[in-house]
Amino acid sequence: QVQLVESGGGLVQAGGSLRLSCKVSGRTFRSVSVGWFRQAPGKAREFVAAHEWSGGRTYYTDSVKGRFTITSTITGDNAKNAVDLQMDSLTREDTAVYYCAATRPFVTRALDTAGTYDYWGQGTQVTVSS
């Protein structure tokens, strides 16, 4: 079982930055891959970024490459056990509810697909104003 708690959302002007954090806990938290998804009003939930648990590979959807960075401190010493999403050069199109999600242990494939994830956080609102 894995528990996820997001934080860091808010209101920011276009061109600004926000850092989202997903605190991960539970019996198997060191062996799960973690992804970030978002859902804008009237739109389907979409993949944003993911961090693979085993090799630390990262994946991004094209629209955020070069602007967003996903980092994990789950395996480090004195780790805060979180997967963060640094978001820079934000645009109005980034406005959405952002969710972090975790897989079952040892999953490394299809991390851009919502169905791959078994655990979801409650979501945090990100609003980018012009």
Side-chain angles (χ1 to χ4, degrees), residues 32-72:
V32 300
S33 295
V34 176
W36 283 94
F37 289 76
R38 65 187 179 186
Q39 188 166 18
K43 294 187 177 181
R45 188 170 298 189
E46 66 169 349
F47 168 74
V48 177
H51 181 276
E52 180 190 298
W53 78 273
S54 63
R57 295 184 184 90
T58 57
Y59 306 90
Y60 300 92
T61 192
D62 286 345
S63 65
V64 308
K65 286 180 180 176
R67 301 189 299 122
F68 290 14
T69 304
I70 187 170
T71 56
S72 172

Side-chain angles (χ1 to χ4, degrees), residues 10-122:
L11 174 65
V12 65
Q13 286 190 328
S17 299
L18 278 177
R19 188 176 184 91
L20 306 182
S21 186
C22 176
K23 182 158 179 63
V24 184
S25 61
R27 188 168 57 87
T28 59
F29 73 93
R30 285 188 175 86
S31 305
V32 300
S33 295
V34 176
W36 283 94
F37 289 76
R38 65 187 179 186
Q39 188 166 18
K43 294 187 177 181
R45 188 170 298 189
E46 66 169 349
F47 168 74
V48 177
H51 181 276
E52 180 190 298
W53 78 273
S54 63
R57 295 184 184 90
T58 57
Y59 306 90
Y60 300 92
T61 192
D62 286 345
S63 65
V64 308
K65 286 180 180 176
R67 301 189 299 122
F68 290 14
T69 304
I70 187 170
T71 56
S72 172
T73 58
I74 289 179
T75 58
D77 292 337
N78 300 317
K80 65 173 183 174
N81 298 332
V83 177
D84 292 351
L85 185 68
Q86 176 67 36
M87 306 186 296
D88 299 319
S89 302
L90 286 161
T91 71
R92 291 185 64 183
E93 287 67 38
D94 296 315
T95 295
V97 178
Y98 283 70
Y99 299 88
C100 71
T103 66
R104 295 181 184 178
F106 314 124
V107 173
T108 60
R109 304 178 72 174
L111 296 181
D112 59 348
T113 304
T116 300
Y117 297 84
D118 289 275
Y119 307 99
W120 291 83
Q122 80 284 0

